[in-house]
Amino acid sequence: MNWLNNFLNSSIGKKFVMAITGSFLLIFLIIHLIGNITLFFGPDAFNGYVKTLDVIKPLIRVIELVLLAAFVFHIFNGFRLWLENKRARPVEYKINGSTENSSIFSRTMFISGSIIFIFLVLHLGTFFWRFNVHDPQQLADAHQYYDIVVGFFQIWWYVLLYIIAMILLGFHLNHGFQSAFQTFGLNSKKYTPLIKKLGTIYAIIMAVGFASMPIYFFLSGGVK
Amino acid sequence: METKILKLKLKIWRQKNANSVGSFVDYDVSVSPDASFLEMLDELNNKLESQGLEPVVFESDCREGICGTCGLVINGQPHGPIPRIATCQLHMRNFKDGDTIWIEPFRAKAFPVIKDLMVDRSGFDKILQAGGYISANVGGAQDANMIPIPKDVASEAFDAAACIGCGACVAACKNASAMLFVSAKISHLGLLPQGQPERYRRVDRMIKVMDELGFGSCTNTYACEAECPKGISVKFIARMNRDYIAAKLKSKTLEQV
Ligand code: SF4
Ligand code: FES
């Protein structure tokens, strides 16, 4: 498997890994958001949605494994790229003109990614852990999923972190979306402007969509 | 029309050699707005030499934007604030009286400073030696018109061939990646029929050497395209990604292509 190793460790291989895992995560986010929207339709809708996921658990577990692999590779590879790329310029410029030649979204991928990662850990701890590991049977019987989520959305610092993370997620996606196409070799005068616009629309929908839930439930005080 | 003389403060990176630590030194200059940026540095050097001081080392050759030898980072931008020109094409009329101008060398691990503003860009030569050529057969020359090349392909190859190998793409990139340069060279040869025999070997070998030399990895910020004096498009990087993946898929050995 020497050839695979060579490819994955080459500069183009590394960006290819970022793009392929990133694309998978882009699709995952759409499905995640659609599922979460059920929160707005009350406890029955949301609890029903979570229970449906429970019914098809074996399938969900497989998807979760792929998802885990995508996250691990994306995060590990992203961290490695950041480290190696720092080493490629040992002496920094005194005056940095990068605002003149590149977008803030593209330059802040590491920091936006890092904060999303911190959020992800917290997010898994609060929701995923409770739904799956922390006595799931009791939860399922009592239909408490909705209450747990809405409960967290009453904690001001949690909501604040959530919103900040979602804004940065939007930043990350805005660059990541079009960047994946570029890495796959899809760049043409004909469709690249469209891809960039679609990426921005996608990023805004994701950031606003995910942030709307904590904002709504925080402001409404968790009414059912 | 009278021309006003500009009084400027220069902050120039001075570094004795590759191993010493450099720092910025201040110089006050008065210069005509009609002077080019390099002429301003020439004048400064004349003054320094007449005072028995060491002149500032910087590179230039053609001074008309075609050789790629010059290249300074001026106020944080490779080749200065004006897009699509090399440092030698920059004129002082683009600056205002009283401005402070920071002048730094291209900074990258793969471009070590030789002295002051002069850096060693021989890494680019090594990349070219790895695959930036085509095979030429011996024997009588073939009629050029025997090889049909569609106009759009010829134009695209020509766009890529416009790269002057200056290295501003590396200097501008926050990752010090050389992908714009390498993709321009790969595309310029790989788009044309004459470049087909080595097409996939070329991309594989040139990327390998590029990676070994310590250039960073591209993260698609496109700073390179914005700062490139020839406006080389990042679509060539996309094309190179395609060719590289194709090279990996097509190769029949388990090692390299
Ligand atoms: S791609 Fe542009 S910036 Fe890079 S070496 Fe060629 S001409 Fe210079
Ligand atoms: S000196 Fe030749 S391009 Fe500037």
Side-chain angles (χ1 to χ4, degrees):
Chain A
M1 298 296 264
N2 207 356
W3 63 269
L4 187 64
N5 204 27
N6 282 344
F7 173 68
L8 294 180
N9 287 311
S10 69
S11 49
I12 293 181
K14 277 179 273 188
K15 66 198 250 169
F16 194 73
V17 170
M18 289 315 275
I20 218 155
T21 52
S23 306
F24 185 79
L25 297 173
L26 288 176
I27 296 166
F28 162 71
L29 282 180
I30 298 176
I31 299 167
H32 192 10
L33 182 63
I34 293 173
N36 285 15
I37 298 272
T38 54
L39 264 181
F40 286 126
F41 298 103
D44 290 343
F46 186 70
N47 290 334
Y49 159 64
V50 182
K51 289 209 88 166
T52 316
L53 295 183
D54 228 26
V55 175
I56 49 167
K57 206 79 212 184
L59 177 68
I60 296 292
R61 284 284 178 253
V62 174
I63 297 173
E64 277 170 3
L65 278 181
V66 182
L67 206 53
L68 178 72
F71 268 118
V72 167
F73 271 97
H74 197 77
I75 293 165
F76 169 76
N77 212 44
F79 181 73
R80 181 176 162 201
L81 274 171
W82 173 77
L83 205 69
E84 290 174 354
N85 285 341
K86 278 220 115 36
R87 286 201 201 117
R89 173 163 297 133
V91 183
E92 283 288 334
Y93 288 111
K94 170 82 181 167
I95 305 292
N96 194 319
S98 57
T99 47
E100 299 290 329
N101 57 34
S102 53
S103 77
I104 179 152
F105 311 107
S106 70
R107 292 193 309 268
T108 52
M109 288 304 269
F110 178 74
I111 184 77
S112 60
S114 303
I115 291 172
I116 296 164
F117 174 67
I118 294 169
F119 171 79
L120 179 70
V121 173
L122 192 73
H123 182 63
L124 290 179
T126 45
F127 297 137
F128 183 82
W129 181 261
R130 265 160 220 263
F131 282 17
N132 286 277
V133 190
H134 188 85
D135 203 358
Q137 200 48 49
Q138 191 197 335
L139 272 177
D141 293 342
H143 282 252
Q144 280 175 350
Y145 302 119
Y146 180 86
D147 295 339
I148 292 183
V149 175
V150 173
F152 269 106
F153 289 168
Q154 305 308 311
I155 309 169
W156 69 268
W157 61 265
Y158 188 82
V159 172
L160 188 68
L161 178 72
Y162 205 112
I163 295 168
I164 293 172
M166 291 310 109
I167 292 170
L168 290 172
L169 178 70
F171 272 45
H172 204 79
L173 298 176
N174 185 36
H175 175 70
F177 190 95
Q178 56 82 25
S179 188
F181 285 89
Q182 164 79 0
T183 296
F184 292 140
L186 300 167
N187 182 330
S188 148
K189 265 212 291 259
K190 210 161 64 183
Y191 52 72
T192 296
L194 179 68
I195 288 174
K196 288 192 176 166
K197 276 198 201 86
L198 279 179
T200 304
I201 293 170
Y202 170 86
I204 293 173
I205 291 178
M206 290 300 135
V208 171
F210 281 112
S212 67
M213 292 155 209
I215 294 175
Y216 173 78
F217 286 104
F218 184 73
L219 294 181
S220 67
V223 285
K224 291 183 187 173
Chain B
M1 206 175 81
E2 65 172 321
T3 47
K4 226 178 133 243
I5 295 295
L6 303 174
K7 285 195 187 317
L8 303 163
K9 184 176 256 350
L10 306 182
K11 290 179 176 287
I12 302 180
W13 183 260
R14 304 295 314 253
Q15 182 172 338
K16 227 178 157 52
N17 55 47
N19 301 319
S20 61
V21 187
S23 63
F24 286 95
V25 178
D26 289 8
Y27 300 95
D28 291 309
V29 293
S30 304
V31 65
S32 152
D34 296 331
S36 79
F37 199 86
L38 297 185
E39 280 163 355
M40 172 195 67
L41 291 179
D42 289 338
E43 282 178 21
L44 171 69
N45 277 346
N46 285 342
K47 208 171 87 190
L48 290 177
E49 273 181 296
S50 70
Q51 295 167 353
L53 297 168
E54 181 117 359
V56 179
V57 174
F58 63 92
E59 280 188 281
S60 75
D61 189 6
C62 72
R63 297 209 175 189
E64 54 180 7
I66 54 169
C67 73
T69 309
C70 62
L72 303 172
V73 176
I74 300 159
N75 288 339
Q77 285 185 273
H79 295 304
I82 309 295
R84 301 283 181 274
I85 56 166
T87 303
C88 57
Q89 296 166 292
L90 179 65
H91 284 79
M92 297 318 294
R93 55 176 170 268
N94 296 299
F95 296 89
K96 286 196 307 289
D97 191 38
D99 275 357
T100 298
I101 306 175
W102 293 79
I103 308 172
E104 299 179 66
F106 286 178
R107 296 195 193 274
K109 184 170 161 233
F111 285 169
V113 171
I114 297 171
K115 192 175 167 66
D116 296 340
L117 302 170
M118 181 196 223
V119 298
D120 179 359
R121 283 169 289 182
S122 58
F124 272 12
D125 300 333
K126 295 195 183 100
I127 295 172
L128 287 179
Q129 281 155 12
Y133 50 79
I134 57 164
S135 49
N137 295 330
V138 290
Q142 193 183 359
D143 187 321
N145 294 320
M146 291 298 286
I147 309 173
I149 303 171
K151 172 71 174 78
D152 53 340
V153 174
S155 297
E156 202 183 352
F158 191 79
D159 286 347
C163 165
I164 54 175
C166 63
C169 42
V170 176
C173 176
K174 81 177 190 31
N175 312 315
S177 166
M179 284 214 186
L180 192 65
F181 165 76
V182 178
S183 71
K185 298 302 169 194
I186 285 172
S187 300
H188 146 211
L189 299 173
L191 279 164
L192 297 173
Q194 292 89 338
Q196 295 311 306
E198 293 94 354
R199 179 166 171 186
Y200 295 104
R201 226 177 3 172
R202 175 182 304 119
V203 62
D204 198 56
R205 290 184 179 170
M206 288 175 75
I207 295 291
K208 184 161 178 282
V209 173
M210 174 184 86
D211 289 350
E212 283 166 3
L213 287 168
F215 291 103
S217 292
C218 170
T219 58
N220 302 338
T221 73
Y222 312 139
C224 51
E225 179 184 296
E227 298 292 4
C228 171
K230 298 296 150 187
I232 304 291
S233 164
V234 293
K235 76 176 181 204
F236 292 119
I237 299 183
R239 193 186 167 279
M240 174 172 72
N241 296 342
R242 280 200 310 269
D243 261 15
Y244 187 69
I245 290 163
K248 293 293 172 188
L249 293 174
K250 278 170 193 263
S251 77
K252 300 198 173 54
T253 67
L254 287 174
E255 290 299 320
Q256 295 299 309
V257 173

